[in-house]
Amino acid sequence: MLFQVTLSLSLKSSVRVHPVQTASLPCVSCSTMAKGNKRKAAKSKTITLKVAKECLQLTLDGKLRLNLSFKGVSVMPKCLPKLCEVEEVDLSRNLIRKIPDFIDYFISLRLLDLHSNYLEELPASVGRLQNLLVLNLCNNRLSSLPSAMGLLKKLLTLSLGMNQLSNLPSSISALQELRHIGLSDNKFTSVPFCISRMDKLERVNLDRNPIVTEDTSNQSVATEKLCLVKGGILCGDCLNKCQTDRETMEDNENWSETK
């Protein structure tokens, strides 16, 4: 069961439940990114195979990582297929507008970081990244997602904050291993129904979306804090508080209806 942890800006008083401290997650909340604070368009740079090889790193846990963040590129370098054995790719903070179909060459990819670019759409080929565990697409211009996203069966963390999304494809519910999904700073007016079918989902971040609530007489209000967390990850005291506050809120609603 997912519990709502929220601090909302409503027109009437509402029950406030303080959020639980959890371990930090990569860009799920997008709290460290300044919304709309992207660099002005500049002349794109070219990344050669030699330059790309110089950007290869070995992570502390022994993963081969290609770090091309802050390189000023507007297209994914054509030389990348020759480095398709890497397990992590960081192309964040660039000027990239499109992901080429050759992305599916990276069959060993476990982490793909494309936050803070200019992506407006994703190719269906992204669904072929069968070993992907973490996908960061925060701070782009996405207004929709391909149904092929549902093919990422091993995905654990999906970060989609600071885009222009108002709904998710129903295929997202097929991501049964997903633990965390970040949807903050988008255009959602309600909690996406598809996430209710994801049994292992622990945390959903919906901060600063125009969620329509009964408290505001069906008016859209940008929720400052709205986080859904699975009851199983809360401590006993926090779980009891959530349940008590929920019962109190239901009692208040029933009282209002009888007036």
Side-chain angles (χ1 to χ4, degrees):
M1 179 182 293
L2 291 174
F3 287 88
Q4 178 174 314
V5 179
T6 176
L7 288 172
S8 60
L9 300 178
S10 62
L11 300 182
K12 297 182 180 180
S13 60
S14 60
V15 175
R16 294 171 180 261
V17 181
H18 296 288
V20 180
Q21 294 292 330
T22 58
S24 59
L25 298 169
C27 295
V28 170
S29 67
C30 308
S31 58
T32 60
M33 301 178 193
K35 189 174 183 180
N37 187 23
K38 290 186 177 181
R39 299 182 303 282
K40 294 181 179 180
K43 185 177 180 180
S44 177
K45 297 180 180 179
T46 300
I47 301 293
T48 64
L49 180 59
K50 179 181 178 181
V51 171
K53 286 182 176 180
E54 292 174 351
C55 296
L56 289 172
Q57 303 170 345
L58 195 63
T59 65
L60 293 177
D61 55 350
K63 302 293 189 301
L64 189 60
R65 179 184 181 89
L66 177 60
N67 186 356
L68 293 176
S69 181
F70 274 123
K71 296 299 182 182
V73 296
S74 61
V75 296
M76 293 182 70
K78 295 181 180 180
C79 63
L80 289 191
K82 296 181 180 180
L83 299 173
C84 60
E85 73 278 5
V86 299
E87 296 180 79
E88 299 184 1
V89 172
D90 184 354
L91 279 160
S92 64
R93 301 181 179 92
N94 281 296
L95 310 168
I96 299 172
R97 297 179 180 275
K98 183 179 180 181
I99 298 177
D101 285 333
F102 67 61
I103 191 67
D104 62 3
Y105 286 22
F106 291 80
I107 58 175
S108 300
L109 200 61
R110 297 165 60 88
L111 181 149
L112 177 59
D113 191 347
L114 283 160
H115 84 258
S116 301
N117 277 284
Y118 291 88
L119 296 173
E120 296 182 356
E121 61 180 3
L122 299 179
S125 55
V126 74
R128 300 193 187 105
L129 301 176
Q130 297 294 303
N131 290 302
L132 201 61
L133 302 179
V134 177
L135 177 58
N136 190 349
L137 295 166
C138 287
N139 201 21
N140 278 282
R141 297 176 176 178
L142 299 171
S143 58
S144 64
L145 299 174
S147 60
M149 290 283 289
L151 299 175
L152 303 176
K153 302 296 186 181
K154 296 182 180 180
L155 200 63
L156 300 177
T157 299
L158 176 59
S159 301
L160 295 167
M162 298 176 70
N163 279 285
Q164 300 174 27
L165 299 168
S166 58
N167 56 65
L168 297 176
S170 59
S171 61
I172 290 290
S173 62
L175 304 180
Q176 289 299 310
E177 296 300 318
L178 198 66
R179 302 298 199 276
H180 309 282
I181 182 169
L183 302 172
S184 64
D185 298 286
N186 275 284
K187 297 182 178 181
F188 292 97
T189 56
S190 62
V191 178
F193 177 74
C194 59
I195 66 175
S196 64
R197 303 175 182 176
M198 303 162 76
D199 294 337
K200 295 183 180 180
L201 194 61
E202 296 177 355
R203 186 172 184 267
V204 182
N205 187 345
L206 279 159
D207 290 357
R208 295 174 296 280
N209 275 281
I211 302 293
V212 175
T213 66
E214 294 180 2
D215 287 345
T216 59
S217 301
N218 293 325
Q219 297 184 37
S220 295
V221 174
T223 330
E224 182 62 24
K225 285 288 183 181
L226 177 55
C227 184
L228 307 180
V229 295
K230 193 171 184 178
I233 69 172
L234 297 176
C235 68
D237 290 341
C238 292
L239 182 59
N240 290 334
K241 179 173 176 53
C242 285
Q243 291 173 333
T244 300
D245 286 339
R246 172 184 286 182
E247 292 171 359
T248 301
M249 184 167 56
E250 291 175 349
D251 289 342
N252 290 338
E253 291 175 351
N254 293 334
W255 183 80
S256 297
E257 292 175 357
T258 59
K259 286 184 64 177

